[in-house]
Amino acid sequence: MPSISLAVRTASHFSRSTTKTYFNLARSFSTTYRRNEINKVFPSAAEAIKDMKSDTTLLCGGFGLSGVPDTLINEVKKNPSITGLTAVSNNAGVVGGGLGLLLESKQVKKMIASYVGENKVLESMFLKGEIELELTPQGTLAERCRAGGAGIPAFYTPAAFGTVVQTGELALRHNPDGTVAQYSTPRDVKVFNGKSYVMEEAIHADYAFIKAHKADRLGNIQFRYAAQNFNGAMARNAKCTIVEAEHIVEVGEIGPTAIHVPGIYVDRVVQSTAPKGIEKIVNAKEPGDVLGSGEQGSKRERIVRRAAKEFKNGMYANLGIGMPMLAPSFVDPSVEVQLQSENGILGLGPYPQKGQEDPDLINAGKETVTLAPGAACFGSEESFGMIRAGKINLTILGAMQVSARGDLANWMLPGKVKGFGGAMDLVSNPQATKVVVTMEHTDKKGRPKILKQCEFPLTGKACVSRIITDLCVFDVDFTEGLTLIELADGVTVDEVRAKTDAPFKCADEIKPML
């Protein structure tokens, strides 16, 4: 029978060994040697997607051609066995590029996007019933992606209340003859503090394709300028996030405060090999060169010069594409305004000089831009947080139609599919953000664009506070209607009445526009 002393010595030995084992194990997690065993870098895009499944949901970062994961998309194109994808992206690429490649190869069965833009392939496929398209306001799309990654199943947003998105009258799928085969689902509406909000469900994805400027083997990533756009929110969302990086760097080379997405969200990293493109190169020009010549140029200049008066010192403003983007050229230099772009820039500068274009610096119209001193870049989800919260003092937008009570229609013409973009979010808080519309008074056929009620699908209800046209300026009261406050030189009240399909009052003193 073993002695008591032997038993004690044996127990003591195992006790010391166990303690030492646990101590060494704990210590090993803090050593550089052990951390280096975490290596998320894959040798190629082909290896990174080799186990990708069909009939799954794929998030793709990017805005226009900026921040698009082309290397990974091109690799999926090489694998025609991957089919039935539900692709989620702000816009569905362009013809011959980005997600446009997967549309052409019929590997995508459903597209969730905010903007179709000039992608005629997607527009044609949708109208012929070859693909399902779920158009979503841009800010709502960004928040659906963010919420899905944050464990939030649904949320309420003011964007799209009173539109086809809320009422469920948005076409999702067509029959081959062009008739609507399926409409969207009506959204739940709830009132908070006297204001109506629309409930939207989060998006949950199987895969996310992300474009980064830098990544390390731990999966930490950094974006460059406006290429962050949707990439940050989408990177945090998916079960499998695959990042293509322009530069794969050593651990520690990206400073702790410079990491935009921590490695915990990233599963695989590959070297980006696809060249970066620019959708719309726009260079700095004299205002007269942009506005055009003749009567048309004169009309545009009148509108833009008047719109420039809307800027007040210290404002934060968001400008729609087209004429609104030209207004800052006519602002007095003594007036300091910070321009925000919904793709993730606060502090937009002028268009670049020729040869100075940067593919990672574009505005909401996908045009090349520069940054003003003190500018900041961030993700689309933060950009639209600013917008919905009313931090933007002024937004100037174009329009197809405006009603007497300030309803706005600017996203769809019959037979065309363009998408909402960010407009539904921009007009969602008119109590805090003044919405000004700039447009010609009549369309190309001479028909009024200011109506009793809008005939086209609405972007927002009771949101436009001021209308600036080539003929006049109206103030809009959401209850009382239109008041004529300014007239262009040589224009009479009778001419305005003849070209306006809505009743209006005249101010006690009607001032000249300029």
Side-chain angles (χ1 to χ4, degrees):
M1 183 176 181
S3 67
I4 294 175
S5 61
L6 178 60
V8 170
R9 284 197 303 273
T10 302
S12 175
H13 169 75
F14 280 111
S15 176
R16 285 196 303 272
S17 299
T18 303
T19 301
K20 185 177 180 181
T21 298
Y22 281 124
F23 176 75
N24 287 338
L25 185 61
R27 184 176 62 184
S28 70
F29 278 114
S30 67
T31 65
T32 302
Y33 174 77
R34 296 290 295 186
R35 284 182 63 83
N36 283 347
E37 292 184 7
I38 301 176
N39 189 353
K40 299 181 179 181
V41 178
F42 276 58
S44 67
E47 283 293 313
I49 71 154
K50 70 178 183 180
D51 57 354
M52 189 173 177
K53 303 289 192 302
S54 295
D55 301 309
T56 51
T57 298
L58 168 66
L59 306 179
C60 278
F63 187 96
L65 301 185
S66 178
V68 177
D70 287 307
T71 304
L72 293 166
I73 292 171
N74 293 343
E75 199 59 45
V76 173
K77 174 71 162 51
K78 296 175 186 176
N79 288 265
S81 61
I82 302 173
T83 60
L85 295 174
T86 295
V88 184
S89 183
N90 176 65
N91 46 291
V94 295
V95 177
L99 282 174
L101 294 174
L102 304 187
L103 294 172
E104 293 166 23
S105 62
K106 306 297 176 68
Q107 290 171 270
V108 175
K109 71 175 181 181
K110 179 179 179 179
M111 190 76 225
I112 302 177
S114 82
Y115 191 68
V116 173
E118 290 70 44
N119 192 331
K120 296 297 183 183
V121 170
L122 176 56
E123 183 181 47
S124 175
M125 291 176 67
F126 176 57
L127 293 175
K128 292 177 181 178
E130 297 174 356
I131 194 170
E132 184 177 338
L133 173 62
E134 182 182 330
L135 286 172
T136 304
Q138 193 176 131
T140 299
L141 181 62
E143 192 63 19
R144 290 179 70 190
C145 291
R146 190 205 67 82
I152 297 173
F155 57 90
Y156 283 92
T157 174
F161 175 73
T163 73
V164 293
V165 175
Q166 179 243 307
T167 59
E169 298 171 279
L170 183 66
L172 295 180
R173 187 165 51 84
H174 287 87
N175 294 307
D177 63 0
T179 58
V180 177
Q182 181 184 355
Y183 284 99
S184 58
T185 303
R187 304 297 198 261
D188 179 45
V189 174
K190 193 168 183 179
V191 177
F192 297 91
N193 298 320
K195 184 171 180 174
S196 297
Y197 292 79
V198 176
M199 192 188 83
E200 291 283 355
E201 295 186 11
I203 291 173
H204 301 280
D206 301 292
Y207 302 96
F209 286 177
I210 305 301
K211 175 70 174 288
H213 180 55
K214 291 181 180 180
D216 63 26
R217 63 176 173 270
L218 296 180
N220 297 312
I221 59 178
Q222 181 186 56
F223 303 110
R224 183 173 180 271
Y225 297 144
Q228 184 167 349
N229 50 65
F230 280 78
N231 277 298
M234 289 181 171
R236 293 171 169 85
N237 181 296
K239 295 174 184 176
C240 180
T241 293
I242 308 175
V243 172
E244 63 170 85
E246 295 167 39
H247 305 281
I248 298 178
V249 300
E250 291 299 321
V251 172
E253 197 168 321
I254 309 173
T257 58
I259 293 171
H260 293 131
V261 177
I264 193 170
Y265 296 106
V266 175
D267 299 282
R268 302 170 187 180
V269 174
V270 300
Q271 179 65 52
S272 179
T273 58
K276 296 196 287 188
I278 298 175
E279 189 168 344
K280 298 178 183 178
I281 295 177
V282 180
N283 298 120
K285 297 179 182 178
E286 292 299 319
D289 295 334
V290 178
L291 291 167
S293 59
E295 184 182 357
Q296 188 69 17
S298 178
K299 286 182 179 181
R300 287 166 62 88
E301 181 170 349
R302 191 181 309 152
I303 295 169
V304 171
R305 282 188 179 278
R306 176 57 186 82
K309 291 185 177 181
E310 296 297 316
F311 296 106
K312 308 302 179 188
N313 210 13
M315 268 188 171
Y316 293 97
N318 181 291
L319 306 178
I321 61 175
M323 283 192 289
M325 285 298 298
L326 304 176
S329 300
F330 295 93
V331 176
D332 189 280
S334 64
V335 176
E336 184 179 7
V337 175
Q338 286 249 295
L339 300 180
Q340 193 249 25
S341 186
E342 56 261 41
N343 58 310
I345 298 175
L346 181 63
L348 276 177
Y351 293 122
Q353 297 295 325
K354 190 171 183 178
Q356 300 298 312
E357 306 89 355
D358 189 319
D360 294 331
L361 282 176
I362 61 170
N363 62 20
K366 287 84 173 179
E367 301 169 331
T368 48
V369 292
T370 60
L371 297 178
C377 297
F378 34 83
S380 295
E381 73 281 9
E382 182 169 357
S383 180
F384 281 98
M386 298 174 185
I387 290 167
R388 288 189 302 269
K391 301 298 183 182
I392 305 299
N393 306 113
L394 170 72
T395 183
I396 304 179
L397 302 171
M400 297 165 188
Q401 294 176 342
V402 182
S403 81
R405 297 291 188 271
D407 298 340
L408 171 67
N410 77 343
W411 71 271
M412 194 188 85
L413 287 169
K416 303 286 185 180
V417 182
K418 290 294 183 183
F420 313 127
M424 285 188 173
D425 300 271
L426 284 164
V427 303
S428 68
N429 194 351
Q431 291 75 26
T433 302
K434 183 178 181 180
V435 179
V436 175
V437 160
T438 56
M439 65 179 186
E440 291 188 24
H441 207 92
T442 59
D443 65 17
K444 293 179 180 179
K445 295 183 178 180
R447 295 172 298 196
K449 297 172 71 173
I450 303 174
L451 311 173
K452 296 182 184 71
Q453 291 185 328
C454 293
E455 297 168 353
F456 298 153
L458 294 185
T459 304
K461 287 181 67 67
C463 57
V464 178
S465 296
R466 179 162 288 173
I467 307 169
I468 301 172
T469 78
D470 52 305
L471 300 182
C472 65
V473 179
F474 282 115
D475 271 350
V476 187
D477 184 285
F478 303 150
T479 302
E480 299 297 327
L482 303 171
T483 299
L484 179 67
I485 62 168
E486 297 175 22
L487 280 174
D489 186 37
V491 176
T492 64
V493 174
D494 287 340
E495 182 181 355
V496 173
R497 288 197 191 279
K499 295 179 178 180
T500 305
D501 187 33
F504 61 84
K505 298 182 295 184
C506 292
D508 293 337
E509 180 186 0
I510 300 176
K511 298 179 179 179
M513 272 183 67
L514 298 173

